[in-house]
Amino acid sequence: MTKETGARRVDTLVSTTSTKFLTSSQIEDLRLAASKMDGVERRDFQAAIAVKYCQGSARLTETVFGWGRQNIEVGLAEKRTGIICVGLQSAFSGAKRWEEKSIHLRHHHCDRWQNLMLNKTQHLKHASIYPVDSSRSTLTTQRTGI
């Protein structure tokens, strides 16, 4: 199928299935606008276009605009529920700001730090009660025969 035949097919699909009519130039403009966005913003835009021009049909939107159906379905679900989907890659990767690091470290390691300090002070108290004889704690090569 040539580009011209595909454009006529898309124009026919949009004109017969939608109450709003789009020219192939307008469809290209919407595709270009979506290509400049990413993530949540793109899904929101694609879902809005699906609702406005394709009666909320992800399949029709996929056919008319050439966008991925799953992406459109996720965008429609986000609009319907108000819950934004965040992938693991974007949620848990990348360099964190130093503010986020320090807050994370302070809260996450607070209990560990307190336990460490408690053990350290207990160890110091134990050492003062039972002094260690340094002459008996070291091994030499003469004693081991190495």
Side-chain angles (χ1 to χ4, degrees):
M1 177 182 347
T2 64
K3 187 174 183 179
E4 188 176 307
T5 309
R8 276 188 275 149
R9 181 173 165 242
V10 168
D11 286 341
T12 305
L13 268 173
V14 173
S15 64
T16 58
T17 59
S18 177
T19 57
K20 312 237 190 270
F21 301 107
L22 292 173
T23 65
S24 60
S25 174
Q26 291 169 327
I27 291 171
E28 287 301 316
D29 290 342
L30 292 172
R31 283 183 186 161
L32 178 65
S35 72
K36 301 295 181 190
M37 301 174 198
D38 60 340
V40 176
E41 187 181 22
R42 178 184 285 185
R43 288 192 305 267
D44 185 48
F45 177 75
Q46 290 174 340
I49 296 300
V51 169
K52 186 172 183 178
Y53 295 106
C54 301
Q55 295 92 29
S57 169
R59 287 178 186 258
L60 181 60
T61 307
E62 176 187 30
T63 304
V64 172
F65 295 98
W67 297 326
R69 186 183 335 149
Q70 185 177 7
N71 204 30
I72 299 163
E73 288 171 348
V74 170
L76 289 168
E78 286 176 342
K79 268 189 168 315
R80 186 180 68 249
T81 62
I83 298 171
I84 303 299
C85 298
V86 179
L88 289 177
Q89 176 70 21
S90 60
F92 298 107
S93 68
K96 304 241 185 297
R97 299 173 128 184
W98 69 269
E99 298 96 341
E100 293 171 359
K101 284 181 185 176
S102 64
I103 289 171
H104 172 71
L105 290 175
R106 184 173 48 219
H107 292 298
H108 181 69
H109 297 292
C110 186
D111 292 333
R112 285 185 170 175
W113 180 256
Q114 288 174 352
N115 289 338
L116 182 65
M117 289 296 111
L118 182 64
N119 290 340
K120 186 177 180 181
T121 56
Q122 287 175 351
H123 177 69
L124 290 175
K125 288 178 186 175
H126 180 29
S128 64
I129 295 171
Y130 303 105
V132 177
D133 185 10
S134 62
S135 65
R136 297 200 305 176
S137 62
T138 57
L139 290 175
T140 63
T141 56
Q142 292 173 349
R143 284 189 197 162
T144 59
I146 297 175

